[in-house]
Amino acid sequence: METVKKMTLFGLVWPIMIELFLQFMIGTADTLMVSRISDDAVAVVGISNQFFQAVIMLFVLISSGAGIVISQKLGAGKEEEARKVASMAFTLTLGLGVVVSLLLFFGVDLFVYLLHVPDSLHEMTRQYIRIVGSGTIVMAAVLTLSTIIRSTGNTKGTMLVAVGMNIIHIIGNYVFIFGALGLPKWGLFGVSLSTVGSRMIALIVLFYIFRKTFSTLIRWKDLRVFHRGLLKEVAKVGLPMAVSSASWTLSQVVLFSMVATMGAEQLTARTYLNTMESFSFLAGWSFAMAVQIQVAHLFGAGQMEKAYRSLYKALFWGEVVVVANTLLLFLLGKHIVGAFTENNEIITIVVGVMAMNLILQPLKMWNMPLNNALNAVGDTKFVMYVSIGIMWIIAVGGTYVFGLKFGWLLHGVYVAMIFDEAIRGFLVQRRWMARKKLPKAVVTSGAMSAPF
């Protein structure tokens, strides 16, 4: 049980929090640098990144499912099985990554059309998606390896790699955007090259850590081994999680597409808001990520009551941080967005929507650790059903009604998202408090304690 004792909430949280905060700061600098190209370039990166988030959700079935099963196995003292799951997850990611990369490279025109990108942004979006999309295999492998390593409790390693990757990306942006070191000014083309290149370097380092993650070194021959039973465990946990994540991310792509029909200013404002809102919940999200690892370990060890209580500790501290960050963002929002653009129409839109985040962001924080805790104990189907039903009916449907039909534009989008988060939060809270759902296949080496 020594592994479980090491899985303290704050011991897991602080490296994740530092990683996310530095990623945010570097991501903000990234957006600021891209804005020096043009506001159109910012809009292209914004809608393209939403699309890439939807694409990467195809790999959540592997990475998230494997991460939870690994944590459960380690909590139960079954390290060899955890090691086999990790090896299979990486191999499957590479195989699927090749297929998706080729699809994005050769089918870029179809995806630009489906995203309803304004005509003036077509060529820039096409170029960016083709280059970054062809590197999906690298992006997916980084995601999977990071999840595997983090699920063993090594949050410090992934933190350092992520920080290094983003610093390299920013340096690459500077070189390619401003033509440093005698290189030509490649603009958005250079940004896409910098993105793929920094991820490639991160992949190499993560693979080195991955091989030494368990007490027995992972060898090349291990990547060819498949265990049908363990694969079923991963799929049982990961499939509903993948559908949930894909549903959320795809809904965001649809929302961005609807915002794109509202005009370039509304789309650019939404992109800036996305960047700024990250500051509101990134620390809170670190608590949600940490509690998933902790609950899965405790669940694997059969410590159900302790797992139940740990969720509320993460929820409390996450809300404290999110409320404080959102209030700070509200007070300084006008000055922050002014650093990105001088377009008064965009600034007016952003400032007008900012107050709504005082409601939206705490509601998001309510959902995140609850969803992660339910996933950690295997109640992934319930989270999936709630995600699919409420997100599409309330968030997407509400955006169409309030944003487009009523003409509230971006304000309507935020009204719909507030209702979406509130309803989902209420449903998952009831589910957690009921304690009536336990997976049939419990990963534990001994008898279970009291019902969860």
Side-chain angles (χ1 to χ4, degrees):
M1 296 301 168
E2 184 180 356
T3 304
V4 178
K5 291 180 181 178
K6 292 180 180 179
M7 295 294 165
T8 61
L9 179 65
F10 287 100
L12 294 168
V13 161
W14 75 262
I16 298 175
M17 188 179 296
I18 292 174
E19 175 184 343
L20 294 179
F21 180 74
L22 290 177
Q23 281 187 344
F24 165 75
M25 295 303 294
I26 294 172
T28 301
D30 189 16
T31 303
L32 184 61
M33 293 171 77
V34 172
S35 71
R36 292 299 179 262
I37 301 174
S38 67
D39 284 332
D40 284 348
V42 174
V44 167
V45 172
I47 195 169
S48 298
N49 285 346
Q50 284 290 322
F51 172 68
F52 290 134
Q53 286 181 31
V55 170
I56 208 66
M57 285 305 117
L58 295 171
F59 301 89
V60 171
L61 164 61
I62 303 171
S63 62
S64 295
I68 287 178
V69 172
I70 289 169
S71 293
Q72 291 178 347
K73 295 291 187 184
L74 291 175
K78 299 180 179 180
E79 183 180 333
E80 183 55 31
E81 291 188 12
R83 181 174 171 276
K84 288 180 180 178
V85 170
S87 299
M88 287 191 299
F90 181 64
T91 302
L92 289 171
T93 295
L94 292 181
L96 182 59
V98 171
V99 175
V100 175
S101 294
L102 291 174
L103 183 62
L104 290 178
F105 183 82
F106 291 106
V108 62
D109 292 325
L110 173 62
F111 296 116
V112 171
Y113 170 78
L114 292 176
L115 287 171
H116 300 290
V117 177
D119 291 342
S120 60
L121 304 181
H122 265 211
E123 186 55 36
M124 291 176 67
T125 306
R126 184 176 179 274
Q127 182 186 69
Y128 189 79
I129 289 180
R130 168 161 280 177
I131 296 175
V132 178
S134 63
T136 298
I137 182 174
V138 179
M139 180 167 49
V142 167
L143 168 68
T144 299
L145 291 180
S146 296
T147 303
I148 290 170
I149 294 167
R150 196 180 293 119
S151 296
T152 67
N154 182 10
T155 53
K156 296 178 185 177
T158 56
M159 173 195 72
L160 294 174
V161 173
V163 171
M165 175 181 71
N166 283 280
I167 290 175
I168 292 171
H169 176 50
I170 288 298
I171 293 173
N173 279 3
Y174 176 79
V175 170
F176 292 130
I177 291 175
F178 300 106
L181 304 178
L183 293 174
K185 296 180 180 181
W186 282 346
L188 200 58
F189 172 72
V191 172
S192 59
L193 292 180
S194 172
T195 299
V196 176
S198 61
R199 287 172 179 166
M200 180 66 74
I201 295 172
L203 173 59
I204 294 171
V205 178
L206 283 171
F207 185 73
Y208 175 80
I209 298 173
F210 165 71
R211 294 191 66 204
K212 297 186 175 183
T213 292
F214 301 95
S215 57
T216 303
L217 183 71
I218 293 179
R219 300 178 177 85
W220 290 104
K221 65 178 182 180
D222 295 323
L223 302 179
R224 300 194 299 269
V225 175
F226 281 86
H227 189 288
R228 183 173 298 179
L230 292 175
L231 191 59
K232 286 183 178 179
E233 286 188 47
V234 172
K236 186 176 180 180
V237 174
L239 182 57
M241 289 182 68
V243 174
S244 299
S245 299
S247 175
W248 181 86
T249 308
L250 188 57
S251 72
Q252 297 305 301
V253 173
V254 174
L255 291 181
F256 251 85
S257 297
M258 284 193 278
V259 172
T261 66
M262 299 175 186
E265 288 78 13
Q266 297 285 328
L267 177 60
T268 303
R270 177 65 179 132
T271 302
Y272 286 134
L273 280 164
N274 264 7
T275 301
M276 296 167 67
E277 288 164 6
S278 298
F279 176 74
S280 297
F281 67 84
L282 59 86
W285 178 235
S286 67
F287 281 96
M289 293 175 67
V291 83
Q292 177 172 296
I293 298 170
Q294 185 185 39
V295 168
H297 273 258
L298 293 169
F299 176 71
Q303 299 182 27
M304 297 297 100
E305 190 61 32
K306 190 173 181 181
Y308 179 81
R309 292 195 304 269
S310 67
L311 175 277
Y312 289 105
K313 184 177 181 180
L315 182 58
F316 172 77
W317 286 109
E319 286 289 7
V320 169
V321 172
V322 165
V323 170
N325 287 350
T326 305
L327 184 59
L328 183 62
L329 182 64
F330 173 71
L331 295 174
L332 301 177
K334 185 175 182 179
H335 302 287
I336 296 173
V337 72
F340 292 101
T341 181
E342 296 178 355
N343 188 314
N344 288 327
E345 183 175 353
I346 294 175
I347 294 174
T348 301
I349 295 169
V350 171
V351 172
V353 172
M354 199 78 71
M356 303 179 77
N357 269 313
L358 294 172
I359 302 173
L360 177 62
Q361 298 307 324
L363 287 174
K364 280 186 176 182
M365 185 59 224
W366 187 23
N367 269 297
M368 290 187 294
L370 281 165
N371 285 332
N372 283 11
L374 286 171
N375 285 332
V377 300
D379 198 4
T380 53
K381 286 186 179 179
F382 179 81
V383 176
M384 177 186 71
Y385 294 144
V386 170
S387 298
I388 294 175
I390 305 303
M391 285 178 190
W392 287 94
I393 295 173
I394 305 299
V396 177
T399 293
Y400 177 76
V401 173
F402 299 130
L404 297 178
K405 288 297 182 180
F406 288 6
W408 295 355
L409 302 178
L410 208 53
H411 290 81
V413 176
Y414 275 70
V415 169
M417 290 194 297
I418 287 172
F419 278 113
D420 164 56
E421 296 287 349
I423 295 172
R424 285 192 292 115
F426 172 75
L427 293 175
V428 294
Q429 179 71 68
R430 285 188 60 190
R431 185 69 165 188
W432 185 258
M433 292 177 66
R435 307 192 194 193
K436 64 182 181 181
K437 175 66 179 179
L438 271 177
K440 295 180 181 179
V442 179
V443 186
T444 176
S445 57
M448 292 277 295
S449 60
F452 184 72

